[in-house]
Amino acid sequence: MDSAQQIDNSQSPLKRSRSPSDRGSGRGNSRGRGRGGGRNKKSDMGRTEWSQIPGDRRSRNDQVREAAKRRKLTEHNGEKPVYAVEFSKEEIDQEERRPKRKVAVMIGYSGSGYKGMQLNHNEKTIEGDLFAAFVAAGAVSKANADDPKKSSLVRCARTDKGVHAAGNIISMKLIIEDKDIIQKINENLSPQIRVWGMERTNGSFNAYQLCDSRIYEYLIPTYCFLPPHPESFLGKKLVELADRAEDREGFDKRQQEVSTFWSEVEEQQIKPILDRMDPSTRESLIKVLFNLEQSHQEGKSQIEKVSAESNTQPLTEPNIASTMTLDEMLSETAIGTAALTSSSLSGVPSTNSGSLRPDDGDYIAEVKEPSALEIAIKELKAQYIKAKKAYRIHPDRLERVRSTLSRFLGTRNFYNYTIQKTFRDASAKRLIKSFIVNDKPVIINDTEWLSLKVHGQSFMMHQIRKMVSMMALVVRCGCHEGRIQDSYMADRFIIPKAPSLGLLLERPVFETYNQRLGEPSDRLPIEFTKYEKEMEEFKQREIYERIFREEERENQFHTFFATQDNLQTSQLLYLSSMGIVATKENARDGAKVESAEVVVDGASSEDDANPEDG
């Protein structure tokens, strides 16, 4: 060895061993103590010894898991989750151990009657039913049947209560040796949930993290693009503020193709009903429905007068019915499931409250016959809904829908389209790749429907429903499309969320993952193309028909927009020609502005708290 390269190991700062007196003579002379002076196990024994200690990772993970389980049971008073399947120790010990494989499970479901996709401790959910079917089919062992986390369950996209999915994916470890495993799983599921197939993946596959984007569809009746009734609160304010902003000409132009709709309905369909009524009933109906500007005392007097003319007893306290508009009186929120009771119609006798009398220990309600006034209001309500459903969207209106949807494209700050986000929150920025409307509406049960499809990288809670709602409100209120851009700014916009009924996840996209598989590969790409026929049949039978049937029965979209039109607040006045200034101005003047999630969404059918998707 060259003498120049010889190094005295005793002088090398890397090789020289430190004597006991040297230890602790370093920074701060804090022998055996870590930062802040606390005991430091590594420092006590040295890094080499510490790194060589064999770690029992499985034991530590089991301890963490058991602690989390005890914590969860404590939170729920010791109750087991509804999806947990319990087996005795003897049953678990007797079961043959079989290998688990990481798979991507492709599923579809109708969300009606479920509290969303995600597992919930004491609620019926899609994942809860799926997990129970996996256990029943033998895809999950008895030892793991009490906790889906033991099988590493991860969903690709969460969906809210009532939201459907033609295609969704969950990743988990399953026992898949049985070639009939998919059939056995489906036999243990309701017809509302189907497993399309499974694809083997590597052990680190995560359905949520590796999903590139998601495609959602939203079905909406075209009558949702009709303007608010001229006598509604919002209908009047839009005209008033268009005049103030000197934009009446532009406002009328944006509403040109629907400008005569309400006047024609009144003349051709409502007036004949009124003309058929006897004079006293017609007069009472008009007084109740169109008494718009009365004070509290005047409203009370009016109710008493109408009650006297109708030979009924007045209520002790007047309510909002004395100042309701016609459209509001006909909305489901005014006379929906509690239709025509005294709580929704001041001075009108209740049809079903009756008196209760004891009869052998049981109480029996005495049902009264509806009054002529109640029957008349019910008939008018049905006629207004029928008129709306008969509407067929004009090509110019359809083009306005398409143009407004294009304002969502690109990376935008959607903090106004979700909850618990601020303008400066970076996570509120989301990429929308496309948002299109089908050129050809379809007519189902005499109602015309449009299909909207949105393709985005990811979505926040309620984001899609609020985007659809905002688009529909902009179009129906004759608002300038630029209001969409305004909603990305720092001003707070209160945007109601459209009904969950029309929303469905069409499919998630795993483009990057599929490209990385390469050729050849023992793993197949994650695609739904091979199941298209079954999925299309399922969509028609379990999703589309269910949506159309529920809307026919419940009129959810009519209820939603009638509620927005008649809210006596300034929260939606940003839809007027004056923009957000109108909402701020009215708020300063003392106009009532309610919470978006409490009042505007009060008629919505969903109130879960899933943080992502839809």
Side-chain angles (χ1 to χ4, degrees), residues 420-443:
Q420 300 175 351
K421 298 281 186 184
T422 64
F423 175 68
R424 297 186 181 278
D425 195 332
S427 66
K429 292 182 179 179
R430 301 293 166 119
L431 169 63
I432 303 299
K433 297 185 173 185
S434 67
F435 208 155
I436 59 175
V437 57
N438 195 326
D439 291 331
K440 296 181 179 179
V442 296
I443 298 175

Side-chain angles (χ1 to χ4, degrees), residues 174-191:
L174 293 178
I175 301 167
I176 57 172
E177 294 173 337
D178 189 341
K179 59 183 177 57
D180 296 322
I181 190 65
I182 294 174
Q183 179 184 339
K184 290 180 178 179
I185 293 171
N186 282 327
E187 287 172 354
N188 287 280
L189 290 168
S190 77

Side-chain angles (χ1 to χ4, degrees), residues 233 567-574 582-583 586-587 591-593:
F233 175 81
L567 284 173
Q568 305 285 320
T569 75
S570 63
Q571 57 193 15
L572 295 180
L573 296 187
Y574 60 78
T583 296
N586 280 266
K592 191 176 181 182
V593 179

Side-chain angles (χ1 to χ4, degrees), residues 396-520:
D396 292 345
R397 203 75 166 169
L398 184 57
E399 181 55 39
R400 187 156 152 71
V401 170
R402 184 178 294 105
S403 179
T404 305
L405 289 176
S406 69
R407 301 278 183 153
F408 290 114
L409 302 184
T411 301
R412 309 287 188 179
N413 189 336
F414 286 102
Y415 86 103
N416 270 319
Y417 293 82
T418 186
I419 61 173
Q420 300 175 351
K421 298 281 186 184
T422 64
F423 175 68
R424 297 186 181 278
D425 195 332
S427 66
K429 292 182 179 179
R430 301 293 166 119
L431 169 63
I432 303 299
K433 297 185 173 185
S434 67
F435 208 155
I436 59 175
V437 57
N438 195 326
D439 291 331
K440 296 181 179 179
V442 296
I443 298 175
I444 306 292
N445 299 330
D446 297 325
T447 301
E448 187 179 59
W449 292 78
L450 281 178
S451 169
L452 315 175
K453 289 192 178 181
V454 57
H455 184 187
Q457 195 171 41
S458 62
F459 297 94
M460 296 175 288
M461 184 179 181
H462 306 324
Q463 181 182 340
I464 297 173
R465 291 165 61 191
K466 284 177 177 279
M467 291 165 70
V468 170
S469 173
M470 184 66 169
M471 177 276 298
L473 288 169
V474 165
V475 173
R476 70 193 301 268
C477 292
C479 179
H480 193 280
E481 295 171 15
R483 199 71 73 246
I484 302 292
Q485 266 68 28
D486 295 341
S487 68
Y488 305 141
M489 299 297 107
D491 288 319
R492 172 62 73 179
F493 281 65
I494 296 179
I495 304 173
K497 57 181 184 284
S500 62
L501 176 65
L503 181 62
L504 67 118
L505 172 62
E506 185 171 277
R507 69 181 187 277
V509 179
F510 287 81
E511 186 177 1
T512 303
Y513 171 83
N514 292 340
Q515 289 174 350
R516 286 177 179 173
L517 289 177
E519 292 288 348

Side-chain angles (χ1 to χ4, degrees), residues 327-342:
D327 198 42
E328 185 177 10
M329 289 295 290
L330 302 178
S331 73
E332 288 290 331
T333 50
I335 55 174
T337 54
L340 311 171
T341 64
S342 58

